[in-house]
């Protein structure tokens, strides 16, 4: 039976302190989001007369409904393509020991080293020539190419730790290689799949520069760009900005809490879901 020791008490105090540090900005954000515009008290001071009109005005003035739909479309479309392409690419790279497999893996990993800003202008010209500027499809195509190297790296590292006996048994039973991957290997990739899903969702959802570049001048905007529209050259509606930020955070929190257990298992690197 484990005894409650002084070291355990100290660790608990440290974790509580760390939790308070991370929770403090969120509390300030929510506090300012429900504050009256005429209230000029300290941001740390609790709001005595909270109001939810800021959320209504932010939703209406910033056209956050359309921006939210565009963000969901871009995020879901990009993540589906990223996970599908990365998983299918990682399987032969992790299982085949030929020289071409090693060189292909190194070539894909170059995408982790080169900054995407180097290709910003050529990619912009390519999107323009394809007629995709101002549409969410340009962002889906961009994010798919940007995030596939990192996600493939995650899948390859995980697949190399998965025993091959499961696939060999499936092949003996008459499965093809693709069927073995679909029905045997893919279910075992759930932890790393959830981890890659969360990392890619956060990266795509919070990106500001790329939507600003590819959707500039168009009616379709994502949430970060729509929220930035509240900040003018001379006027800043900070209460509306904070309310809009809370609205943009809620979908990510829902995804995180829904997949919390799988996320922890994925980061732990275990095979048990």
């Amino acid at each position: 039976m484990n005894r409650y020791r002084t070291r355990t008490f100290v660790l608990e105090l440290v974790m509580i302190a760390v939790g308070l540090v991370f929770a403090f900005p969120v509390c300030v954000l929510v506090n300012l989001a429900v504050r009256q515009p005429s209230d000029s008290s300290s941001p740390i001071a609790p709001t005595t007369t909270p109001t939810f009109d800021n959320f209504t005005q932010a939703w209406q003035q910033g056209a956050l409904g359309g921006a939210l739909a565009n963000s969901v479309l871009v995020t879901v479309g990009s993540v589906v393509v990223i996970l599908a392409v990365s998983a299918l690419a990682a399987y032969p790279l992790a299982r085949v020991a030929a020289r071409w497999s090693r060189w292909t893996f190194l070539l894909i990993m170059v995408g982790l080293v080169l900054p995407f800003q180097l290709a910003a202008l050529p990619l912009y010209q390519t999107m323009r020539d394809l007629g995709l500027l101002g549409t969410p499809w340009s962002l889906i195509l961009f994010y798919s190419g940007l995030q596939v190297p990192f996600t493939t790296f995650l899948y390859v590292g995980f697949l190399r730790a998965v025993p091959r006996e499961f696939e060999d048994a499936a092949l003996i039973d008459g499965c093809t290689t693709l069927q073995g991957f679909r029905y045997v290997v893919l279910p075992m990739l759930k932890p790393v799949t959830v981890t890659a899903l969360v990392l890619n969702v956060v990266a795509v959802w919070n990106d500001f520069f790329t939507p600003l570049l590819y959707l500039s001048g168009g009616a379709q905007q994502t949430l970060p760009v729509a929220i930035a529209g509240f900040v003018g050259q001379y006027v800043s509606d900070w209460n509306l900005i904070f309310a809009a930020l809370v609205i943009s955070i809620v979908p990510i929190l829902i995804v995180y809490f829904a997949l919390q257990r799988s996320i922890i298992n994925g980061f732990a690197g275990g095979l048990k879901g």
Side-chain angles (χ1 to χ4, degrees):
M1 183 175 181
N2 295 329
R3 297 179 58 186
Y4 189 82
R5 301 179 180 180
T6 305
R7 180 181 178 183
T8 305
F9 175 72
V10 173
L11 290 176
E12 289 180 351
L13 290 180
V14 171
M15 296 305 298
I16 292 174
V18 172
L20 292 175
V21 169
F22 282 97
F24 177 74
V26 179
C27 294
V28 173
L29 173 64
V30 176
N31 185 43
L32 294 176
V34 298
R35 176 169 293 185
Q36 297 280 355
S38 58
D39 191 348
S40 59
S41 58
S42 172
I44 304 177
T47 301
T48 57
T49 56
T51 177
F52 293 96
D53 290 339
N54 294 330
F55 295 95
T56 303
Q57 295 181 25
W59 185 270
Q60 294 175 352
Q61 296 182 19
L64 296 187
L68 177 62
N70 289 329
S71 291
V72 171
L73 172 62
V74 170
T75 303
V76 173
S78 301
V79 171
V80 168
V81 174
I82 291 168
L83 295 181
V85 173
S86 300
L88 291 173
Y91 183 60
L93 293 177
R95 287 295 186 249
V96 179
R99 181 177 299 179
W100 67 265
S101 177
R102 293 192 296 268
W103 282 107
T104 303
F105 179 69
L106 292 176
L107 181 62
I108 294 176
M109 291 304 99
V110 173
L112 295 176
V113 180
L114 297 177
F116 78 93
Q117 290 86 352
L118 293 177
L121 182 58
L123 286 175
Y124 183 87
Q125 294 174 342
T126 302
M127 297 296 180
R128 181 195 60 192
D129 296 338
L130 293 175
L132 296 177
L133 285 181
T135 66
W137 307 111
S138 62
L139 297 179
I140 294 175
L141 184 60
F142 174 85
Y143 290 128
S144 300
L146 180 67
Q147 296 296 116
V148 161
F150 173 70
T151 310
T152 303
F153 173 76
L154 292 179
Y155 273 114
V156 169
F158 194 88
L159 275 167
R160 287 175 176 172
V162 176
R164 301 190 60 166
E165 287 77 7
F166 300 101
E167 304 153 63
D168 295 338
L171 294 176
I172 293 174
D173 290 339
C175 288
T176 64
T177 302
L178 186 59
Q179 289 175 335
F181 172 77
R182 168 64 180 85
Y183 296 106
V184 178
V185 178
L186 192 58
M188 293 189 294
L189 298 181
K190 179 182 176 182
V192 70
T193 299
V194 174
T195 301
L197 183 147
V198 172
L199 294 177
N200 285 294
V201 164
V202 172
V204 175
W205 186 271
N206 292 331
D207 187 28
F208 172 76
F209 174 76
T210 307
L212 180 66
L213 180 64
Y214 289 155
L215 301 181
S216 60
Q220 296 178 321
Q221 300 292 345
T222 58
L223 273 177
V225 179
I227 294 173
F230 286 106
V231 183
Q233 185 175 2
Y234 302 104
V235 179
S236 298
D237 297 323
W238 292 110
N239 296 98
L240 300 186
I241 293 174
F242 293 130
L245 287 173
V246 172
I247 293 174
S248 68
I249 291 173
V250 169
I252 296 295
L253 291 179
I254 293 175
V255 173
Y256 175 78
F257 286 118
L259 302 175
Q260 184 177 9
R261 178 176 296 182
S262 298
I263 293 171
I264 295 174
N265 291 334
F267 279 113
L271 289 176
K272 295 181 179 180

